[in-house]
Amino acid sequence: TCRVLIENAYGLKEVATVNKGEVIGEIAIISETKRTATVEAREDVCVLMLTADAFKNVVYTNPNVSIDILKEVTKRLLEQAA
């Protein structure tokens, strides 16, 4: 697992946990902005890193993937607002 950290006035604050099979970094690619968080592994992990172009190609050619990512981003936004 990994922890998601966001910097605030007091330093880094853990705001979420990322588990096997989850997507990270998609918000920065979709919004074409700087990343909003740091992800730190709690143990050895295996990751698949995609360039922005490769990620966009996957999203454009696989509508189901697009919907799954949209659901995940929406879930995260709702959790942050709570």
Side-chain angles (χ1 to χ4, degrees):
T1 61
C2 299
R3 59 189 197 143
V4 179
L5 307 163
I6 293 182
E7 191 167 354
N8 62 24
Y10 306 104
L12 292 175
K13 175 184 176 186
E14 184 173 340
V15 295
T17 299
V18 178
N19 296 301
K20 182 178 180 178
E22 293 188 65
V23 176
I24 54 174
E26 74 290 346
I27 293 174
I29 292 174
I30 292 167
S31 65
E32 296 181 347
T33 60
K34 183 179 161 188
R35 62 184 171 79
T36 58
T38 297
V39 178
E40 183 179 272
R42 290 187 172 145
E43 57 197 43
D44 288 344
V45 296
C46 181
V47 298
L48 172 64
M49 187 176 85
L50 299 175
T51 64
D53 287 340
F55 176 84
K56 289 176 185 177
N57 185 52
V58 169
V59 169
Y60 293 151
T61 59
N62 298 283
N64 290 338
V65 171
S66 300
I67 295 296
D68 289 344
I69 291 171
L70 181 58
K71 287 178 183 177
E72 183 60 30
V73 170
T74 302
K75 179 181 135 195
R76 290 180 195 166
L77 291 172
L78 291 172
E79 287 172 354
Q80 287 181 0

